Amino acid sequence: MDKEIARLEALELKRQNEGIELIASENYPSVDVRAAQGSIFTAKYAEGYPGKRYYGGCEVVDQVENLAIERCKSLFHAAFANVQPHSGSQANFAAYRALVKPGDKILSLTLNDGGHLTHGSNVSFSANTYSFAFYPLGDDGKLDYDIIRQRLFEERPNLLLAGYSAYPFTIDFRRMRELVDEYNASTGERCLFMVDMAHIAGQVASGKCQNPCDYADIVTSTTHKTLRGPRGGIILTNDEALAKKVNSAVFPFTQGGPLEHVIAAKAIAFAEANTDGFRAYFDGVLANTRACNDELARLGRKVSGTENHLFLLDVLSSYGINGLEAQLRLERVGITTNKNMIHGDTLSPKYCSGLRIGFAAATSRGCDAEQARTIARLIDKALSCGEDELDCVRLEVRAITAGWKDISKLVF
Ligand code: DSN
């Protein structure tokens, strides 16, 4: 192997193995998933879809992609799946293309409350192609379905968007569907409903929250977050006409050749997620996240509470430092997190008042609830102790991860 890249890969493996990964959007795939990503399928061009390719020699990758599609549909109980999107952003790009026209209005969560860049940020294609209006969270930092209803009737959007990047509570997709149906029936309009379930795909797969595929016209997701698959995207729908639009929006409108090696890895991940082992894993994710949140609350720190794989820690109120300072301090002791806006944040996105903390990755390595509570105390210490005590905290972090599974050998 290229010596420079081999050296860097060894360094990254050491960083990942020795540290505690609490970025809520990260996770560790199995060795099988990673092997498929490095497989010979990477050499194959297969523009088009199974049975309808623009290149010869696709008889094997057709089987791979069909397997991925069938496993994806079975996992999420959806009638149609497109497994080609290279990422969540590209899945959203194609989903919008299938659902609305340029200039149409999309109603989305206020970005500072946990929306994604592709949900209407000025720096993304989304706000430069569509007209965005927003619904805020309620005063308690949770979705307020009365506010969403009011915003629907005020803004008269073509699409209601749900699914978030930093929202720690369950989402009532059924209620949102009812709101859209009520709005459509009383106005004669045809507002559609889309869910980006990237963050909670693992929770949906394990059956521990409502399945947005039962309620939304289109559901998009990444496959590498709580789902533990390879880096990539998917689009799901139960509507045949929309499925056709999605397919042409992905290829040829948005992408060229699909990444068949990643699609092979997705097929493996969908099968892994459709097991009792995965469902037990997700019980662990939920328990660990709650344990860490509750321990920080017990220590008097301001946390959001949680009903999924993440929670928000208000570091400005709790420690008098901003999110960026907190993120950098934790990095020095080997705990990786990211700064995040919190509901009602007074600081800019460059600094933020909070940290987003998630346990999908740590749980994949074997973290249990007792360790999650210990991690809460280490976070608390690192954010409040003197400079001279940080080395001590780093050693305690190292002692925990030394007992965890090696990331390069994770099986399912
Ligand atoms: N970057 C992802 C996250 O951290 O939530 C969203 O794409």
Side-chain angles (χ1 to χ4, degrees):
M1 186 174 171
D2 180 298
K3 284 195 174 53
E4 274 307 284
I5 293 296
R7 184 180 67 79
L8 294 172
E9 187 185 342
L11 271 182
E12 177 61 7
L13 180 61
K14 180 171 154 60
R15 186 194 71 80
Q16 292 191 14
N17 265 331
E18 294 189 353
I20 297 177
E21 180 54 71
L22 298 181
I23 291 178
S25 50
E26 293 192 14
N27 210 335
Y28 303 115
S30 68
V31 283
D32 287 353
V33 165
R34 290 199 297 118
Q37 284 189 276
S39 71
I40 197 61
F41 293 124
T42 193
K44 188 70 198 104
Y45 246 125
E47 282 170 325
Y49 289 99
K52 287 175 264 171
R53 305 286 193 183
Y54 287 79
Y55 292 85
C58 289
E59 63 273 19
V60 182
V61 292
D62 274 5
Q63 293 177 62
V64 169
E65 191 164 334
N66 276 330
L67 203 51
I69 289 169
E70 289 310 313
R71 288 180 180 179
C72 186
K73 283 160 46 180
S74 157
L75 182 62
F76 292 111
H77 309 288
F80 303 95
N82 187 307
V83 297
Q84 291 193 0
H86 300 336
S87 72
S89 293
Q90 281 174 265
N92 286 347
F93 187 100
Y96 292 155
R97 164 86 184 169
L99 289 163
V100 286
K101 299 188 299 300
D104 276 359
K105 190 181 277 186
I106 302 175
L107 183 61
S108 156
L109 178 69
T110 310
L111 296 181
N112 286 355
D113 278 344
H116 185 248
L117 284 179
T118 57
H119 297 186
S121 164
N122 285 331
V123 297
S124 129
F125 75 87
S126 54
N128 288 277
T129 313
Y130 306 99
S131 158
F132 273 82
F134 298 95
Y135 52 90
L137 293 177
D139 291 339
D140 59 357
K142 294 188 177 176
L143 288 170
D144 181 327
Y145 298 93
D146 292 333
I147 294 179
I148 297 172
R149 182 182 180 282
Q150 185 188 332
R151 296 293 290 148
L152 260 178
F153 281 84
E154 276 169 7
E155 293 293 342
R156 304 177 75 85
N158 305 92
L159 181 67
L160 175 66
L161 182 60
Y164 318 105
S165 295
Y167 185 69
F169 306 108
T170 53
I171 306 168
D172 193 345
F173 299 116
R174 183 188 302 124
R175 180 97 176 90
M176 293 177 106
R177 172 85 257 167
E178 286 166 2
L179 293 178
V180 169
D181 288 346
E182 180 199 344
Y183 167 76
N184 286 343
S186 61
T187 60
E189 301 286 349
R190 188 168 174 265
C191 177
L192 295 165
F193 179 34
M194 170 175 152
V195 173
D196 174 348
M197 66 167 181
H199 260 271
I200 58 163
Q203 194 173 3
V204 173
S206 64
K208 297 180 199 306
C209 63
Q210 284 181 21
N211 181 352
C213 297
D214 293 341
Y215 306 104
D217 294 289
I218 283 187
V219 175
T220 59
S221 184
T222 52
T223 46
H224 50 274
K225 296 188 174 85
T226 49
L227 200 56
R228 285 182 74 171
R231 197 160 282 278
I234 51 172
I235 306 177
L236 300 155
T237 182
N238 287 310
D239 181 313
E240 190 169 2
L242 272 178
K244 286 191 179 129
K245 286 188 181 179
V246 163
N247 283 352
S248 53
V250 172
F251 172 84
F253 191 77
T254 310
Q255 296 183 172
L259 309 177
E260 291 296 341
H261 54 304
V262 179
I263 290 173
K266 286 175 182 171
I268 295 170
F270 298 144
E272 288 176 345
N274 213 345
T275 58
D276 287 341
F278 187 87
R279 289 181 272 276
Y281 156 73
F282 218 85
D283 281 333
V285 173
L286 297 173
N288 292 343
T289 311
R290 207 167 41 244
C292 187
N293 173 91
D294 292 356
E295 182 68 2
L296 281 162
R298 193 187 65 77
L299 294 167
R301 306 311 182 186
K302 194 168 172 202
V303 283
S304 60
T306 178
E307 293 168 347
N308 58 22
H309 63 294
L310 67 87
F311 68 90
L312 297 167
L313 169 60
D314 180 342
V315 289
L316 192 61
S317 302
S318 301
Y319 305 98
I321 58 176
N322 65 47
L324 178 60
E325 289 170 310
Q327 177 191 311
L328 293 174
R329 208 160 222 273
L330 289 179
E331 204 162 286
R332 286 173 62 187
V333 301
I335 297 177
T336 318
T337 59
N338 65 279
K339 66 186 157 105
N340 213 97
M341 303 292 273
I342 55 172
H343 181 57
D345 210 317
T346 51
L347 301 184
S348 72
K350 186 170 172 198
Y351 298 106
C352 306
S353 297
L355 283 181
R356 186 182 65 166
I357 294 175
F359 272 80
T363 309
S364 294
R365 292 191 65 193
C367 176
D368 62 24
E370 193 46 52
Q371 288 175 324
R373 278 186 280 276
T374 305
I375 291 168
R377 292 191 289 276
L378 291 177
I379 291 172
D380 190 59
K381 194 163 166 189
L383 295 181
S384 54
C385 71
E387 288 277 322
D388 54 337
E389 290 175 89
L390 286 175
D391 282 347
C392 238
V393 182
R394 190 175 177 90
L395 288 177
E396 290 186 66
V397 165
R398 192 64 200 94
I400 291 178
T401 57
W404 283 356
K405 294 174 200 157
D406 184 325
I407 291 155
S408 65
K409 300 191 180 102
L410 281 180
V411 288
F412 213 89

